[in-house]
Each structure stands twice: as C-alpha cells, then as structure tokens.
Amino acid sequence: MPKGATLAEINDKLHQRVDADDASRHVAYRKETVEAAFLEERKALKPLMAESFGSAKILFAKVDAKSRVCVRQAFYSVPVSLIGRSVQIALSANEVSISYRDKQVATHGRLTHRGDSILVLDHYLEAFTRKPGAFPRSVPLDQAKKSGAFSRDHEEFLAGATRLYGESKGISEMVGVLLLARRLSKAAIAAGLSRALVMHTFKADFVEIAARSSLESTPMPLDDVPEVVAPTVDLARYGALLEARP
C-alpha cells in the first residue's frame, strides 16, 4: 500500500503506479500494451459530457440539541439557530457540505473515525451570549485553541476582561470580539486585538474600532488619496472613554 503525509500525495503515487502499469502490461496474448490499446480504443469513444455533475452523496439529517449533525457516525456542527431543523448534506470523499433551504451553512473536512467531531466555535457564539458560563469548558473552544483559531491574543484578552469585569461580563466581551469575524478580516481583528492588549482595554467595541482603523490606515496610491482626509480615531482617548463606561 502506498504511504504519504496527505491524501494528495498518496493519490500521486497511485497515479504513477497506474501509468507505469499501463505502459508495461500486456493483456492475455496481445502484442500491444494496455496504454497502446487504450489509445486506439479512445478514437471510437464519444466525448465527455460538457455539463459538470456533482459526485457527492446527498443525505438528510436533523440537527441535534448540541447543534450537530451525525454523518457516517461522525459529528459536524452547524449554527445553533438550526437546532431541531432538517438539513441537507452533500457527502464527498474529503468534504461535508451542509445546507438549509438551498443555502450553505457549514463546510467541514470529512472525518474518518467513528465518534469524532468538528465543532466550529463561531457556530455557538449566540448560545454563549445567553450562557457565558458554558464558554470556558466547551468543546468548540478547546478545538479552536488546538487549531489556532483561538489565538494567544484571544486568551490574553479573555483573561484581562475576566480579571477586570468578572467572568460573565468578560466572556461577553470575548464573544463580542469573536463575532467580529463575521464582518471583518482576520488580519484586521488581529490588529485590533493587539492594539487592545497594548492599551489594556478589554472591550469588544474598542477592538472593532482599532480593527477598522487598521484597515483605514493602509497606505493608498498617491493618485487615490482624496482631497479631504477624514480625521483619525484617537484610540487612547476612545479606550479611556470605554473603560469609564459602566
């Protein structure tokens, strides 16, 4: 059996073996190789269809109380708003795509071991808004830490917010930061988090302002500079105002 670090590497090795076999093997008592015979046969074949078609197997499942669907004895998360609803699943060799009312709501890499799960932290944020106490020990958070989606800066922000405002309020601020990923880029949020940690300001609003400020401060070509430049945000002053706000 071929071995490799990835499925693509294993497939490449298999293709190489197939090509070598076609070029050297003879069927029964035929003089030509398998490759030569196929090249001759291909002249009589019809062309492939122009229309593409999906090869995924279509399944249907009901979202359980933990906002998961079970596919081939493995579990995949969807947004908590879909708990109790039936969703459509397109199962391919490498991917699980989940849709609700013809709209894709989640995509996961396919799991290969029974009982394994992929729980995306973003899918549970609304639930953590209502029940912040469930956040620190949740499986989605643990998986996000292992994958790097919940970074060291996230952890420092959560620790600082919890220390300053208490666990419930601190987690609420952290969830607010995580929700920013739905409308801002990862790079902008990373810049906003970094700025918040430097300023010791543990407010989701401040992270958003700093993130948007980092986008606006991206250098523009001279030809694109407007005649009137909007004033920049005084982040230090804004942070102090947020800290003073109850």
Side-chain angles (χ1 to χ4, degrees), residues 16-241:
Q16 292 171 13
R17 293 187 186 184
V18 169
D19 292 340
D21 179 72
D22 287 348
S24 61
R25 186 163 56 90
H26 295 258
V27 176
Y29 301 101
R30 297 181 181 180
K31 295 181 179 180
E32 70 274 15
T33 62
V34 171
E35 182 181 32
F38 175 70
L39 290 175
E40 187 64 29
E41 180 184 2
R42 189 165 60 179
K43 298 176 183 178
L45 297 177
K46 293 182 178 181
L48 293 174
M49 295 178 60
E51 298 84 0
S52 60
F53 62 95
S55 60
K57 184 177 181 63
I58 303 301
L59 306 169
F60 294 90
K62 187 175 182 179
V63 181
D64 67 13
K66 296 182 179 180
S67 198
R68 310 171 304 176
V69 292
C70 183
V71 184
R72 295 291 189 267
Q73 299 182 315
F75 296 91
Y76 304 87
S77 70
V78 298
V80 292
S81 59
L82 297 177
I83 289 176
R85 301 183 183 275
S86 294
V87 294
Q88 178 178 298
I89 301 162
L91 176 66
S92 63
N94 304 316
E95 186 178 84
V96 175
S97 178
I98 305 168
S99 301
Y100 178 68
R101 293 184 176 176
D102 298 324
K103 181 181 179 182
Q104 188 179 75
V105 295
T107 303
H108 303 281
R110 183 171 177 177
L111 296 169
T112 57
H113 293 90
R114 181 174 61 183
D116 281 357
S117 64
I118 298 178
L119 307 181
V120 177
L121 184 59
D122 180 75
H123 291 163
Y124 296 87
L125 295 181
E126 285 80 5
F128 293 137
T129 300
R130 298 190 298 270
K131 296 182 178 180
F135 182 81
R137 293 164 294 279
S138 66
V139 175
L141 176 61
D142 182 59
Q143 291 191 5
K145 288 180 178 180
K146 291 178 179 177
S147 69
F150 194 85
S151 66
R152 181 64 60 85
D153 282 354
H154 284 98
E155 292 188 42
E156 290 185 19
F157 183 93
L158 176 59
T162 301
R163 183 174 59 253
L164 192 61
Y165 307 121
E167 184 179 61
S168 181
K169 176 62 176 173
I171 290 173
S172 295
E173 293 295 336
M174 183 74 263
V175 171
V177 171
L178 294 171
L179 284 168
L180 294 177
R182 299 182 182 180
R183 56 183 185 273
L184 293 174
S185 68
K186 290 182 179 180
I189 295 172
L193 266 176
S194 178
R195 184 64 173 163
L197 293 175
V198 169
M199 300 292 294
H200 298 285
T201 302
F202 303 101
K203 289 282 190 178
D205 288 347
F206 180 85
V207 174
E208 180 172 6
I209 291 294
R212 294 188 183 279
S213 179
S214 72
L215 293 174
E216 294 170 359
S217 63
T218 302
M220 292 185 296
L222 292 178
D223 292 342
D224 295 335
V225 176
E227 293 182 2
V228 179
V229 179
T232 57
V233 177
D234 186 343
L235 293 177
R237 180 173 178 272
Y238 188 78
L241 290 173

